[in-house]
Every structure is written in structure tokens, then in C-alpha cells.
């Protein structure tokens, strides 16, 4: 009996801790929802009612397009890099660009795959070191190659675009960047993961998270005056601001010691007082979707945990140390949201533990054991409020996923919330462990695949 009473009290304390934390998070998320829908209604009434919607397919941004450099870092990417380069060359509706593709001297398979794509737009760049180092280090080598190319041809890039070796690049992407980069130092397009029919749960949960983050979250981020963090793919940096970053960091614009160098670049450019922009533009009338970067994400539990541990460690832990808490209220609010991952994982762990303990007590009670779960009425009220807020959160997730992938995926996003929670807890544990040990020091990449059938 004493043990049962202790377990009941422990479950109540865990539930109180988790419930209070989730209530604060839910109110925070609700504020984002309110801002997003208020902004959407306002723009519908004041902007879209007076101006025709622009489409990337026919909107000529510039009559004289500029030279754009695309940096593609690669380590152990022999299975995908050739297919990615060929698809990019075939799809891009743009003429003046160059793909700088990095590889390491001890990765002959990737070097051979790059060399198999013979095209004047492709330039292979060897990193004179044994890989992997870090992705940022590879990007800095590509930046050096760009400078050498600019000096040799006496022409400067208008923008520098980032992509990964497994990306499906949209045909109008460079046209959009060329047309808008004069208005902002940084432009981020939406990232929409491809559906993997062999991994509807692990890979699928990325679809849910990016659908909400890159339809709602980044829009709100821009609306409150916070800098747009880069996703490392489907993003462009104006040439002059990138040179400014390089000048501040001994010629290396990408932080070599960071595992989330792309995220940091957006925030560091924003901290210089320069405009950062998130752009969602439809591809063309009658075409589904928007101009976005597509690609497959990890399809196994281990790969997903490693990837998300890198994100959590780089943003929530190392990012706290490296970037601090600067900027206005909107910027600080968004940085707080970025860095809540480890705490959210702890709250999830407490909530699942409380649910497990209570379920065991109720099961024992149902089987006739002389014990009873002790639940304080205040906790019941707290959990009831959280239950309604959770229902709203689930509705939002399902709605945004359905808007990007259709109603079937919207429905699947509901049970995939549990999958995402499990991955988040495991990733947080790995991220904290790595951080305590001194942090990751090399490129902890995952295996990639390139789609056999390309999306529009």
C-alpha cells in the first residue's frame, strides 16, 4: 500500500510538472497561431484583394538575370550526387549559374560520380583534407573556390545558393532568387520533404513538421521582426552580406565549428541589421504547390535520431553559447522557441511516465487490488485545459499537413505525433550527451536517396 501511494504521488508530481510546462508551450503556440491567421486575413483583405497573385512561371523578375553560384557540399554521396546534378541541370529554368560541388580527397567514389556529369555549369572542388570534417568547413572551401572563380572571370555572383546532395531543385528557384535578392540579404524557400512509401511513420513525420514550420512558423517569424534561419537547402544569400560575414570570421562565412551553420548564417545576417525573407510563391496557375526544395529525409529510427540530435545540439545547446540572446522582443521570442527542444523532451518523458504509472495503478485497481489513484482536482483541471489545447494543436498539425500533402497524410499526421515525440526524446538524450562530452566535431550525416520519379 505504501508503495502504491508513493507511485500515485509520483505520477501526480510528474503530471503537474509536465502539465504546467505544456500549458506554457501551448499558450506560446497559440500566440503563433493567432498571429498567423490574423496576418493571413489582413493580407487577404488589403493585399490580395487589390493585386493579382504572382506566379513564378510567368513573372519575369529581372530582364537581365545575374550570375548565381550554387554550393553543394558532399561527403560519401556517390549514390545520389550524379543523379542530383543531372536532374538540377535538366530542370533549372535559368542560364547564368554555376554548381560548385565539394568532395574530400579520401572520397574517390563521390569524386568519380561528380566527374561523370560533364557540363560547363558544374565545377568539382576538392577539399584538401580527409573527410569528413564539418559541413561548414566544406562550404568554406566552396566559398574559396567561388572567390577564385570570380577573380579569374572578373564577374561577381549576385547570390550564393545552398543545396544538399540529395535535393530536388525546383525549376523556377534561381529565377525567384534573382528577382528578389535585391530586396533582402537572405531568402529562404519552403522545404517540403518527399513522402517515402517505405517509411510512412519515420520519414513521414518530417512531412508533418515541415508542413507546419514552413507554412506557418517562418511566416510568423518574419511578421514579428525576427531573422529567418536558413535550412541549408533552398536558400539564397546575397553576395555582399556573405562577404561581410567572411570578413568578420577570417574569410570563413560559415562557422566551421558549428553543426548547424546554415541556421546560424540567417541569424548572424539578421543581427547585422539586414533584411531576411521567407518566400512562398506558387509555381504557376493551376499547378499544385509552391516553389520549394524537395528531398527525402531519414527513413529509419537511428538515422532520424542522429539527424535531430545534430539539430538540437547545434540550435538549442551550442547555439545558446554561440549566438546568445540578442535582438528585439520578436527575435528573443523566436530564439526561445528554437531552443526549447531539450525541455520539451523532458516534459514529454515526464508526461509518458505519469501516464504509465497511472495506467498501472488503474489496472491494478480494476483487477481488485486495494489501491486507488490519488488525483488532485487542480491537476484534473490543468490536464483538461491541456487536453483541449492539445486537440487544437493536433487539428493545426493535421490541417497544415493536409494543405501540403492531401487529406490522407493529414490524417496520418495525428498518430505520427507520437512517433515524433519518441524521436524527440531520444534525440534530446543524444544531443545532451554529445554536448556534455564537448559537442560533435565532424559531419554526422545520414544516408541519402534520390527519387526515381521527380516531383513537379
Amino acid at each position: 500500500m505504501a508503495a502504491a501511494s508513493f507511485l500515485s504521488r509520483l505520477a501526480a508530481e510528474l503530471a503537474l510538472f509536465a502539465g504546467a510546462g505544456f500549458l506554457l508551450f501551448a499558450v506560446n503556440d497559440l500566440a503563433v497561431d493567432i498571429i498567423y491567421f490574423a496576418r493571413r486575413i489582413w493580407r487577404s483583405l488589403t493585399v490580395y484583394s487589390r493585386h493579382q497573385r504572382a506566379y513564378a512561371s510567368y513573372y519575369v523578375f529581372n530582364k537581365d538575370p545575374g550570375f548565381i553560384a550554387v554550393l553543394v557540399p558532399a561527403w560519401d554521396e556517390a549514390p545520389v550526387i550524379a543523379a542530383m546534378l543531372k536532374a538540377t541541370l535538366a530542370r533549372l529554368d535559368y542560364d547564368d549559374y554555376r554548381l560548385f560541388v565539394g568532395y574530400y580527397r579520401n572520397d574517390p567514389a563521390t569524386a568519380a560520380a561528380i566527374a561523370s556529369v560533364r557540363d560547363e555549369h558544374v565545377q568539382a572542388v576538392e577539399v584538401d583534407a580527409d573527410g569528413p570534417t564539418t559541413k561548414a568547413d566544406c562550404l568554406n572551401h566552396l566559398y574559396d573556390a567561388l572567390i577564385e572563380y570570380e577573380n579569374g572571370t572578373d564577374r561577381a555572383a549576385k547570390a550564393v545558393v545552398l543545396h544538399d546532395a540529395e535535393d530536388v531543385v525546383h525549376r523556377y528557384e534561381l529565377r525567384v532568387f534573382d528577382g528578389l535578392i535585391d530586396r533582402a540579404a537572405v531568402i529562404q524557400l519552403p522545404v517540403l520533404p518527399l513522402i517515402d512509401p517505405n517509411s510512412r511513420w519515420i520519414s513521414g513525420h518530417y512531412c508533418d513538421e515541415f508542413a507546419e514550420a514552413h507554412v506557418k512558423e517562418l511566416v510568423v517569424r518574419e511578421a514579428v521582426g525576427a531573422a529567418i534561419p536558413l535550412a541549408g537547402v533552398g536558400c539564397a544569400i546575397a553576395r555582399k552580406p556573405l562577404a561581410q560575414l567572411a570578413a568578420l570570421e577570417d574569410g570563413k562565412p560559415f562557422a566551421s565549428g558549428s553543426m548547424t551553420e546554415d541556421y546560424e548564417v540567417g541569424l548572424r545576417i539578421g543581427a547585422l541589421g539586414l533584411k531576411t525573407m521567407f518566400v512562398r510563391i506558387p509555381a504557376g496557375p493551376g499547378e499544385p504547390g509552391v516553389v520549394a526544395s524537395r528531398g527525402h529525409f531519414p527513413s529509419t529510427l537511428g538515422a532520424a535520431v542522429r539527424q535531430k540530435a545534430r539539430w538540437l545540439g547545434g540550435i538549442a545547446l551550442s547555439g545558446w553559447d554561440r549566438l546568445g540572446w540578442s535582438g528585439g522582443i520578436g527575435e528573443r521570442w523566436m530564439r526561445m522557441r528554437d531552443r526549447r527542444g531539450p525541455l520539451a523532451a523532458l516534459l514529454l518523458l515526464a508526461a509518458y511516465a505519469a501516464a504509465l504509472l497511472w495506467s498501472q495503478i488503474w489496472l491494478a485497481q480494476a483487477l481488485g487490488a486495494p489501491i486507488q489513484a490519488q488525483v488532485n482536482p487542480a491537476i484534473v483541471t490543468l490536464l483538461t485545459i491541456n487536453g483541449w489545447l492539445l486537440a487544437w494543436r493536433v487539428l493545426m498539425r493535421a490541417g497544415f499537413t493536409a494543405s501540403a500533402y492531401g487529406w490522407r497524410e493529414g490524417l496520418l499526421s495525428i498518430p505520427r505525433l507520437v512517433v515524433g515525440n519518441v524521436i524527440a526524446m531520444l534525440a534530446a538524450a543524444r544531443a545532451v550527451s554529445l554536448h556534455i562530452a564537448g559537442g560533435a566535431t565532424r559531419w554526422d550525416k545520414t544516408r541519402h536517396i534520390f527519387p526515381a520519379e521527380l516531383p513537379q
Side-chain angles (χ1 to χ4, degrees):
M1 291 293 292
S5 178
F6 169 76
L7 292 177
S8 181
R9 288 197 297 270
L10 177 60
E13 293 297 328
L14 289 171
L16 179 61
F17 170 68
F22 284 141
L23 179 61
L24 292 175
F25 280 6
V27 171
N28 194 326
D29 290 337
L30 191 60
V32 171
D33 296 337
I34 292 171
I35 293 172
Y36 171 77
F37 286 112
R39 180 184 181 278
R40 184 169 178 175
I41 292 170
W42 177 80
R43 288 180 67 84
S44 296
L45 296 175
T46 62
V47 178
Y48 299 134
S49 62
R50 295 185 291 117
H51 301 281
Q52 279 190 330
R53 181 176 289 276
Y55 293 96
S57 59
Y58 66 78
Y59 190 87
V60 179
F61 292 102
N62 278 325
K63 294 182 179 179
D64 185 21
F67 166 57
I68 294 180
V70 183
L71 309 187
V72 185
W75 158 249
D76 192 21
E77 299 287 11
V80 298
I81 187 64
M84 180 270 186
L85 293 175
K86 290 175 182 177
T88 301
L89 293 167
R91 288 165 65 88
L92 280 177
D93 181 22
Y94 202 81
D95 295 324
D96 197 5
Y97 68 94
R98 192 170 187 83
L99 301 169
F100 294 85
V101 190
Y103 67 94
Y104 290 86
R105 65 187 182 189
N106 62 331
D107 188 7
T110 299
I114 298 170
S116 70
V117 183
R118 304 178 191 276
D119 190 281
E120 63 179 4
H121 291 292
V122 177
Q123 177 176 330
V125 179
E126 181 183 81
V127 177
D128 190 23
D130 287 342
T133 53
T134 64
K135 185 178 178 181
D137 179 59
C138 188
L139 284 169
N140 284 328
H141 279 82
L142 294 176
Y143 180 72
D144 290 341
L146 169 61
I147 293 177
E148 184 178 350
Y149 176 82
E150 289 175 324
N151 291 335
T153 59
D154 196 27
R155 60 199 304 255
K158 185 175 184 179
V160 175
V161 174
L162 304 183
H163 267 293
D164 283 344
E166 74 280 12
D167 290 350
V168 179
V169 181
H170 197 282
R171 62 190 184 280
Y172 299 137
E173 177 181 300
L174 298 190
R175 183 191 294 189
V176 173
F177 288 149
D178 176 74
L180 297 178
I181 199 64
D182 290 332
R183 306 183 194 180
V186 161
I187 296 173
Q188 175 67 60
L189 297 177
V191 177
L192 291 177
L194 293 172
I195 295 174
D196 186 346
N198 298 316
S199 180
R200 301 304 287 268
W201 300 104
I202 303 296
S203 180
H205 95 281
Y206 285 99
C207 299
D208 310 332
E209 293 183 351
F210 273 89
E212 190 166 6
H214 282 217
V215 174
K216 178 184 66 176
E217 296 275 350
L218 291 186
V219 170
V220 172
R221 193 169 192 127
E222 189 174 23
V224 300
I228 300 296
L230 299 185
V233 299
C235 54
I237 310 164
R239 186 65 183 86
K240 185 177 179 180
L242 192 62
Q244 286 181 260
L245 285 188
L248 294 172
E249 300 294 337
D250 196 26
K252 301 182 184 302
F254 302 98
S256 297
S258 173
M259 295 298 110
T260 49
E261 72 295 322
D262 41 13
Y263 170 88
E264 290 190 15
V265 163
L267 269 59
R268 288 164 61 203
I269 288 179
L272 295 176
L274 302 175
K275 181 177 177 59
T276 62
M277 182 186 295
F278 176 64
V279 175
R280 282 180 58 85
I281 182 169
E287 294 186 42
V290 296
V291 177
S293 178
R294 311 296 300 271
H296 282 294
F297 278 67
S299 58
T300 64
L301 179 62
V305 169
R306 284 195 294 115
Q307 184 184 66
K308 287 204 164 181
R310 177 169 60 84
W311 292 351
L312 276 173
I315 295 173
L317 302 176
S318 299
W320 188 316
D321 297 332
R322 297 173 60 83
L323 299 175
W325 295 89
S326 59
I329 294 177
E331 181 68 43
R332 291 170 185 261
W333 178 29
M334 289 298 139
R335 293 194 185 192
M336 179 197 71
R337 289 177 59 82
D338 292 343
R339 297 167 183 174
R340 68 182 186 176
L343 177 57
L346 184 61
L347 293 173
L348 285 169
L349 183 61
Y352 283 125
L356 177 63
L357 288 173
W358 269 333
S359 67
Q360 295 302 303
I361 293 172
W362 286 325
L363 176 60
Q365 183 180 351
L367 294 175
I371 59 175
Q372 186 173 2
Q374 300 174 5
V375 184
N376 189 293
I379 294 180
V380 173
T381 301
L382 176 62
L383 296 182
T384 301
I385 295 172
N386 279 346
W388 284 106
L389 290 170
L390 175 61
W392 172 256
R393 194 80 274 119
V394 169
L395 179 64
M396 289 294 98
R397 172 62 60 85
F400 282 105
T401 300
S403 71
Y405 295 97
W407 66 269
R408 288 183 177 84
E409 293 300 322
L411 291 178
L412 281 175
S413 72
I414 298 173
R416 283 199 296 240
L417 279 167
V418 178
V419 176
N421 289 344
V422 172
I423 293 173
M425 289 186 288
L426 294 174
R430 177 179 171 83
V432 171
S433 175
L434 289 172
H435 188 71
I436 292 174
T441 58
R442 47 186 273 165
W443 196 344
D444 187 18
K445 67 175 287 295
T446 54
R447 287 285 175 185
H448 297 136
I449 59 174
F450 194 78
E453 297 184 10
L454 300 181
Q456 292 296 319

